[in-house]
Amino acid sequence: MVVELISVGTELLLGNIVNTNAAFLAERCAALGLSCYYQTVVGDNPGRLLETIRTGLSRADLLILTGGLGPTGDDLTKETAAQAFDLPLHMDEHSLERIEAYFRERRIAMTENNRKQAMAPEGAIVVDNDNGTAPGLILEKDGKRMILLPGPPNECRPMFEKSIAPYLRELSGTVIFSRTVKICGQGESGVESRIKDLEQLENPTVAPYAKSGEVHLRVTARAADEKEAKKLIKPVVKELKNRFGSDIYTTQEDVTLEGSVAELLLANGLSVSTIESCTGGLLAGRLVNVPGVSEVFKSGYITYSNKAKRRIAGVKKSTLEKYGAVSGQTACEMAKGCAQQAKADVAISVTGIAGPDGGSAEKPVGLVYMACSVCGTVQVKEFRFQGNRAKIRESAVSAALTLMRQCILAYYSEKTFGK
């Protein structure tokens, strides 16, 4: 089944609102096994909207329209969709009762134009809105379908998950199941070159997605039921684990890189502290985002100035004078000093040049040094990141989490091997 997405609203065309609904719906439709070849944004103009709907119906089995279901005069999605299917509108008493109750419960006077939202095309399936006033609608005619959803994301997304996704699953007659293999410490091109043969598979499929400092491989299978889909996926995930080994930090959709690092720390009873210069606390922030990390996270230091590096981490004045604040030697002393100051088992340091100023031929913008100390064993690493200041800092944080994970794994691997 081919689906086409139409986002309605002049505010989207002008860039006043970011079109997050389209990204959400595209991803969910793909997960449901629907093929999407076109997405369109159209303003609140009935003529252009009607033309867009008719074009969409000529090349897709299903249109999903978001926005334009409100009470104002320029909210014309429902009326225009009804015109495209040549369906008259009538008052849906169930929707009217819900809208009246919505205002009554909030002790707000309901204006007459809100009655407009209760109008529905003849024969339409009305979808209740539990988070707003405008109901959704499903229109069917001559083998074609249109689904109309409210524009606000906090109304659109819950409605889709609760009512529209089950409707679409029933239509497709098949189940789509995905598992995401998340890889850190490797670039997209390197990963892609190692899975070229797997990308030729038709069911399941393997598709790479680049993230900041990570690469995600989504393995997706279509089958009659979830059990059969999982059976198809299992050998492919196993092969990916054989190829990428410990660089895979999870195959669970809801596990983040920082979450996997926190899990590693918790599993081994390791306390951790961070000491940051150019990232200014972003690394500590990523770790603190993880529920339960308070059991292992001891402290986070921001040592932006040389004076702070010396006072808090005990970096030697001679080291700063000879090698500079941005150097492997300084990063090493920062990590050691942090571990000692916080009495932490693991300490990670970051120092670099985020730009846009401060770079030189010898030490360009994007140069970052990190050091990780695990129970006294220290590893130092140099990085050269590209992009603007925000991108460099974001990349540095992802790299620091990866380095910390690698160092902990290496420490316990060597410890086990030594036994």
Side-chain angles (χ1 to χ4, degrees):
M1 182 176 292
V2 177
V3 62
E4 187 159 326
L5 306 180
I6 300 175
S7 304
V8 184
T10 302
E11 68 277 9
L12 296 173
L13 285 175
L14 296 176
N16 300 136
I17 296 177
V18 177
N19 192 3
T20 57
N21 283 340
F24 166 78
L25 291 171
E27 185 175 31
R28 294 297 291 116
C29 286
L32 289 165
L34 304 175
S35 299
C36 182
Y37 304 130
Y38 295 92
Q39 293 183 22
T40 306
V41 178
V42 60
D44 300 304
N45 179 283
R48 287 190 286 273
L49 177 55
L50 181 60
E51 180 184 359
T52 301
I53 289 173
R54 285 173 173 167
T55 300
L57 290 171
S58 71
R59 59 194 181 194
D61 307 298
L62 165 70
L63 304 184
I64 299 180
L65 296 92
T66 55
L69 299 182
T72 63
D74 61 353
D75 290 312
L76 296 169
T77 299
K78 173 172 50 187
E79 292 79 0
T80 308
Q83 183 182 350
F85 269 177
D86 194 23
L87 298 173
L89 292 167
H90 66 83
M91 180 64 67
D92 180 68
E93 295 298 332
H94 169 74
S95 295
L96 181 60
E97 287 175 11
R98 284 180 60 90
I99 292 170
E100 289 174 340
Y102 179 93
F103 284 96
R104 185 169 57 251
E105 290 167 5
R106 288 160 179 77
R107 298 181 181 181
I108 301 173
M110 177 176 156
T111 56
E112 182 63 25
N113 58 357
N114 279 288
R115 292 174 58 86
K116 171 178 179 287
Q117 296 179 101
M119 298 294 288
E122 185 177 273
I125 300 170
V126 177
V127 182
D128 289 342
N129 185 346
D130 295 329
N131 300 281
T133 54
L137 295 163
I138 300 174
L139 283 60
E140 302 175 339
K141 187 175 182 180
D142 299 331
K144 299 284 186 175
R145 294 176 172 84
M146 283 191 276
I147 296 174
L148 280 54
L149 299 172
N154 64 340
E155 298 178 33
C156 173
R157 298 182 185 193
M159 183 182 291
F160 184 91
E161 296 291 13
K162 180 181 177 181
S163 304
I164 305 305
Y167 168 80
L168 294 176
R169 284 194 197 97
E170 197 171 308
L171 281 182
S172 66
T174 59
V175 167
I176 301 295
F177 183 82
S178 294
R179 176 145 290 166
T180 303
V181 177
K182 299 182 180 181
I183 300 169
C184 61
Q186 296 197 36
E188 183 183 18
S189 59
V191 170
E192 201 271 338
S193 68
R194 295 170 63 183
I195 61 164
K196 281 188 174 295
D197 57 325
L198 298 179
E199 288 182 299
Q200 305 307 311
L201 297 174
E202 294 185 358
N203 192 26
T205 60
V206 180
Y209 298 88
K211 305 289 182 179
S212 179
E214 306 176 38
V215 180
H216 294 182
L217 300 177
R218 178 160 290 176
V219 186
T220 305
R222 181 196 302 268
D225 55 48
E226 188 172 303
K227 183 178 178 181
E228 181 61 28
K230 287 180 177 179
K231 187 177 177 181
L232 291 169
I233 284 172
K234 188 175 180 180
V236 178
V237 172
K238 183 179 179 181
E239 178 59 26
L240 290 171
K241 287 181 177 179
N242 289 336
R243 296 188 188 189
F244 295 100
S246 63
D247 287 336
I248 295 175
Y249 70 84
T250 189
T251 58
Q252 302 300 314
E253 188 68 40
D254 59 346
V255 175
T256 61
L257 179 54
E258 56 268 29
S260 73
V261 172
E263 186 179 336
L264 200 56
L265 292 164
L266 287 162
N268 290 286
L270 298 172
S271 58
V272 64
S273 286
T274 60
I275 182 163
E276 306 173 61
S277 182
C278 64
T279 46
L282 292 179
L283 174 57
R286 283 277 292 270
L287 286 170
V288 171
N289 278 339
V290 181
V293 79
S294 58
E295 291 186 33
V296 293
F297 187 81
K298 299 198 75 171
S299 55
Y301 304 106
I302 301 174
T303 55
Y304 214 68
S305 68
N306 286 356
K307 185 177 180 181
K309 290 177 178 66
R310 291 179 60 195
R311 180 173 56 84
I312 294 173
V315 177
K316 297 173 186 173
K317 183 178 180 181
S318 58
T319 300
L320 292 166
E321 289 175 347
K322 184 175 181 179
Y323 301 105
V326 180
S327 65
Q329 292 81 358
T330 295
C332 182
E333 291 187 21
M334 286 171 66
K336 288 180 178 179
C338 177
Q340 184 176 4
Q341 175 77 5
K343 294 180 173 55
D345 301 311
V346 179
I348 180 87
S349 67
V350 184
T351 179
I353 306 169
D357 303 316
S360 65
E362 184 182 349
K363 294 185 177 182
V365 169
L367 175 66
V368 177
Y369 288 95
M370 300 177 194
C372 184
S373 172
V374 180
C375 300
T377 301
V378 182
Q379 181 179 338
V380 180
K381 200 164 183 180
E382 176 188 306
F383 296 88
R384 303 282 180 123
F385 298 117
Q386 301 293 322
N388 60 22
R389 183 178 179 83
K391 179 63 176 175
I392 289 169
R393 297 174 74 217
E394 181 184 4
S395 298
V397 170
S398 295
L401 289 166
T402 298
L403 177 61
M404 190 166 18
R405 180 177 177 275
Q406 291 171 339
C407 288
I408 295 170
L409 290 174
Y411 175 80
Y412 281 99
S413 175
E414 290 171 10
K415 193 175 178 182
T416 303
F417 182 76
K419 289 181 178 178

